[in-house]
């Protein structure tokens, strides 16, 4: 395992090609304004896992090896392993209020599911199984950080566009060489793009009629021809008072451009084989594990939302109003439903053919349908409880100016001084109303993709026949 200092030094040394605000980044990326907050927060996770008191939860060892590895690379084989994974994931999430959607354990978990199911990829070519196993073991040994990109650009979603080579937009194989495959085009939506050691690429869903779009590989983020084009940063100030969340947890999202990128064969584990892709979830449980990690994080996020709203209510003494209690009950109900679904997936987990204890997917699919739908309502509750208090939010500089006495008089709470009250309400504003908070809402809405499509998939893959049989048996009994 690495510590926070090692993570920062390694990311700075990569010198990835990152563009933001029309300029190519130069120098240490950890010191640049748009990135330094999230790099520091991510480094804190690595630092936390290395603390001696966290050894039991965050580290594991293999019988034949001396090294200790990070928990997220561990292949769970027992309920205790899965329980430890949940607890460690949530410990990390509590360091960032559940706001870091791409903490290292997210992609580490995905790579683990692929790496221990190497035989699935070897069914196409034996070398592909060797490749994914080696990539997994390398990442585990070096404690690499990884981002990913699974989405094609929105330029033209018609099927015909993917057969038109005159204007390539979605990343595809344009040449096959002795050394590897050449990728050209773009992919969305790499969160923390350019801030990780490696980039993992899997086939984008839906468009696999042309096998030049069917590939899976993992390459260093500083590979020649690889560019990360970042959106505008939503971290507008270093002040943790003014932007308590955005200043620390703004992850940045980027377009990944592949400009004739040569991907060595040793980095490839899927290539022009739709059967490998079609059977990947059943063989690995990859999406189920990603949902498990996400629901762990979302539960923590709900804990913070509940605590924030209770603190706001206490600051201005509104808890006794019935409509406030009703709104608080909505948050509590959401939290308890998500906790129950998470634990149900853990308790009903089953071993797959590769010896991995995979959580029950059905409760996690339900959670992944439920949370994106209810999250905007929770944000609305924050807005309604805060009311004008989310507009009357002076800055840190105001409290250090000649008007501080006025602010102290007129912005105090029922049992809290003005500066502390404003600091609390600025946190609510940053989650519910700022650019950072709006991105969080959109991020949760589409975390696993189009909610309508996900609902259809959930229905199509849910085994309803036993319940149909129950109704039929009941009606037959009534008719006797």
């Amino acid at each position: 395992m690495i510590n926070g200092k090692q993570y920062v030094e390694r990311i700075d040394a990569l010198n990835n090609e990152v563009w933001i605000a029309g300029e190519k980044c130069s120098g240490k990326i950890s010191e640049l304004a748009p990135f330094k907050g999230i790099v520091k927060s991510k480094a804190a996770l690595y630092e936390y896992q290395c603390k001696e008191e966290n050894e039991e939860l965050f580290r594991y060892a293999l019988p034949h090896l001396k090294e200790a590895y990070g928990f997220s690379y561990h292949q769970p084989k027992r309920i205790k392993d899965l329980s430890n994974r949940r607890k460690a994931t949530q410990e990390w999430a509590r360091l960032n209020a559940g706001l870091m959607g791409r903490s290292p354990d997210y992609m580490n978990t995905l790579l683990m599911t692929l790496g221990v199911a190497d035989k699935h990829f070897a069914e196409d070519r034996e070398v592909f199984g060797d490749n994914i196993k080696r990539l997994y073991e390398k990442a585990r040994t070096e404690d690499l950080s990884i981002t990913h990109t699974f989405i094609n650009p929105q330029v033209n979603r018609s099927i015909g566009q993917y057969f038109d080579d005159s204007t390539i937009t979605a990343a595809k194989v344009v040449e096959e060489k002795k050394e590897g495959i050449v990728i050209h085009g773009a992919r969305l939506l790499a969160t923390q793009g350019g801030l990780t050691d490696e980039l993992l690429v899997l086939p984008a869903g839906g468009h696999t009629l042309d096998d030049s779009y069917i590939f899976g590989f993992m390459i260093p983020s500083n590979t020649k021809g690889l560019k990360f084009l970042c959106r505008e940063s939503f971290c507008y100030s270093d002040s943790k008072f003014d932007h308590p969340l955005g200043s620390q947890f703004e992850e940045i999202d980027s377009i990944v451009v592949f400009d004739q990128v040569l991907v060595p064969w040793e980095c490839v584990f899927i290539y022009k084989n739709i059967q490998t892709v079609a059977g990947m979830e059943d063989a690995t449980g990859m999406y189920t594990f990603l949902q498990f990690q996400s629901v762990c994080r979302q539960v923590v996020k709900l804990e913070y939302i509940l605590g924030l709203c209770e603190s706001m209510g206490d600051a201005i003494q509104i808890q006794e109003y019935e409509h406030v209690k009703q709104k608080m009950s909505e948050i509590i109900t959401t939290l308890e439903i998500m906790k129950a679904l998470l634990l149900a997936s853990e308790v009903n987990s089953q071993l797959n053919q590769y010896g991995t204890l995979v959580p029950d997917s059905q409760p996690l699919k339900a959670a992944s349908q439920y949370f994106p739908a209810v999250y905007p309502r929770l944000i609305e509750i924050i807005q309604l409880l805060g009311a004008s208090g989310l507009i009357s939010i002076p800055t840190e500089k105001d409290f250090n100016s000649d008007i501080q006495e006025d602010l102290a008089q007129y912005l105090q709470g029922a049992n809290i001084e003005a500066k502390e009250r404003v600091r609390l309400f600025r946190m609510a504003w940053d989650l519910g109303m700022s650019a950072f908070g709006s991105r969080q809402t959109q991020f949760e809405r589409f975390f696993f993709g189009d909610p309508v499509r996900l609902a259809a998939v959930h229905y199509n893959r849910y085994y309803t026949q036993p319940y149909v049989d129950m109704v039929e048996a009941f009606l037959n009994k009534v008719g006797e």
Side-chain angles (χ1 to χ4, degrees), residues 116-177:
V116 299
D118 55 295
K119 290 183 176 61
H120 172 72
F121 302 94
E123 290 175 3
D124 179 16
R125 303 185 197 179
E126 186 175 349
V127 68
F128 288 167
D130 296 337
N131 287 351
I132 189 60
K133 184 177 181 180
R134 186 184 62 258
L135 290 167
Y136 160 59
E137 290 176 348
K138 178 178 184 290
R140 181 184 66 187
T141 299
E142 299 180 18
D143 206 2
L144 297 178
S145 58
I146 308 163
T147 189
H148 74 290
T149 173
F150 298 165
I151 308 172
N152 287 327
Q154 290 181 318
V155 176
N156 183 350
R157 290 289 174 89
S158 66
I159 296 297
Q161 190 263 340
Y162 293 89
F163 296 101
D164 182 7
D165 284 337
S166 61
T167 54
I168 296 175
T169 54
K172 64 183 292 185
V173 177
V174 294
E175 188 178 357
E176 185 176 312
K177 293 185 174 183

Side-chain angles (χ1 to χ4, degrees), residues 41-59:
S41 296
K42 200 169 176 181
L45 300 181
Y46 286 107
E47 202 65 33
Y48 191 80
Q49 74 173 358
C50 291
K51 289 184 177 181
E52 188 175 345
E53 60 267 30
N54 297 328
E55 180 176 353
E56 183 176 352
L57 195 59
F58 280 83
R59 306 178 202 178

